[in-house]
Amino acid sequence: MDEVEVVVAHSERATLRVGDVFLKVDADQTRIDVEVEAMALAPVPTPKVLWRRPPVLAVAAVAGTALGRLGEPSTASPAAWAAAGAVIRKLHDAPLPPWPGRAGKGLDELAADLDGECEWLVTNGVLPADLVTRNRQVAQAALRPWTPVFTHGDLQIAHVFVDGDEITGIIDWSEAGRGDALFDLAILTLGHQEHLGDVVAGYGADVDLAVIRAWWSLRSLLAVRWLVEHGFDPSAPGCEVDVLRARL
């Protein structure tokens, strides 16, 4: 009998692996609805949906290994990173889904969220004021008009699987929807800026690197409180706090 592996678990959702099947349990059925529909629409490799019985979604494992993990060096080749860029471009060129995603927040709402998180980080002594202030300045460049595309919305490298130099699957689509293309590129390269050139080369379009760097700061500032409150450590080597420090 296969053992049950807890992949991730917190108060909002949990993912378990039993053999080649992943069981996703989510208290918010809207996220599961989005995930199933996004995988059906996305013109890129995605996991096969095996069955769904709310609040559980069962999907098959994809072949290969993750492109990497935040806080750890990636062993994937530059060609694999470029292939990831090419697959993301294919997603971004696809017809828009009918719903907004995590990468599609309005500028006013995003700015308000960012200011609130910065205030909380400083008031509670979580991060030094100068670190927060500098990254808030850098993050401002991301708050500009953008043309919506089909975004994954949570495109961290652990969600992109490769076999050699080929992308075999992209997992975890619950945050997908209309959004800013550069958000996806920034999340993929967060903490792995040495591979940004490979990703952009594979993406095959002119992108504003300053905006991607701004998203690194913005996303990290917004993530720290959530990570702390859900039992994760954003100050681990190579993770969000180190990303913020790199902007000084």
Side-chain angles (χ1 to χ4, degrees):
M1 179 178 177
D2 291 312
E3 294 183 352
V4 176
E5 174 191 356
V6 179
V7 178
V8 63
H10 49 76
S11 60
E12 295 178 9
R13 68 189 81 165
T15 301
L16 310 175
R17 180 171 186 168
V18 185
D20 288 333
V21 177
F22 285 88
L23 303 175
K24 308 188 72 171
V25 185
D26 200 318
D28 184 349
Q29 285 305 291
T30 300
R31 283 194 292 253
I32 294 295
D33 292 341
V34 167
E35 180 150 16
V36 171
E37 188 166 356
M39 289 191 294
L41 293 175
V44 300
T46 63
K48 179 182 179 182
V49 175
L50 300 176
W51 50 265
R52 180 184 180 190
R53 299 189 185 98
V56 182
L57 171 67
V59 297
V62 298
T65 58
L67 190 62
R69 295 191 180 280
L70 185 62
E72 301 176 6
S74 171
T75 60
S77 68
W81 281 87
V87 168
I88 298 166
R89 177 63 184 275
K90 187 175 182 180
L91 175 67
H92 290 172
D93 285 344
L96 288 171
W99 67 88
R102 182 182 186 182
K105 275 191 174 184
L107 299 184
D108 291 342
E109 181 184 4
L110 192 56
D113 288 348
L114 181 58
D115 289 340
E117 289 304 304
C118 289
E119 181 180 359
W120 182 88
L121 291 169
V122 174
T123 300
N124 290 277
V126 177
L127 293 175
D130 61 338
L131 182 65
V132 173
T133 298
R134 173 55 183 155
N135 278 276
R136 176 62 182 87
Q137 293 169 343
V138 173
Q140 185 64 34
L143 303 178
R144 86 285 177 224
W146 41 268
T147 301
V149 300
F150 191 159
T151 56
H152 179 278
D154 190 19
L155 199 63
Q156 53 184 291
I157 54 174
H159 292 164
V160 179
F161 280 70
V162 298
D163 184 0
D165 298 335
E166 179 184 356
I167 304 302
T168 55
I170 299 177
I171 66 172
D172 287 359
W173 291 79
S174 62
E175 308 289 350
R178 301 190 304 271
D180 180 1
L182 298 192
F183 178 89
D184 271 353
L185 296 178
I187 300 307
L188 181 70
T189 55
L190 184 77
H192 289 83
Q193 63 182 22
E194 70 277 11
H195 292 293
L196 178 57
D198 300 322
V199 171
V200 170
Y203 193 71
D206 290 334
V207 299
D208 190 332
L209 300 183
V211 172
I212 291 179
R213 296 186 182 103
W215 270 119
W216 289 342
S217 290
L218 199 160
R219 189 269 186 189
S220 296
L221 288 169
L222 292 180
V224 169
R225 188 201 321 209
W226 187 94
L227 292 167
V228 170
E229 292 179 346
H230 288 78
F232 301 99
D233 183 9
S235 62
C239 294
E240 284 80 4
V241 174
D242 276 355
V243 171
L244 295 171
R245 288 177 178 144
R247 307 278 74 78
L248 291 177

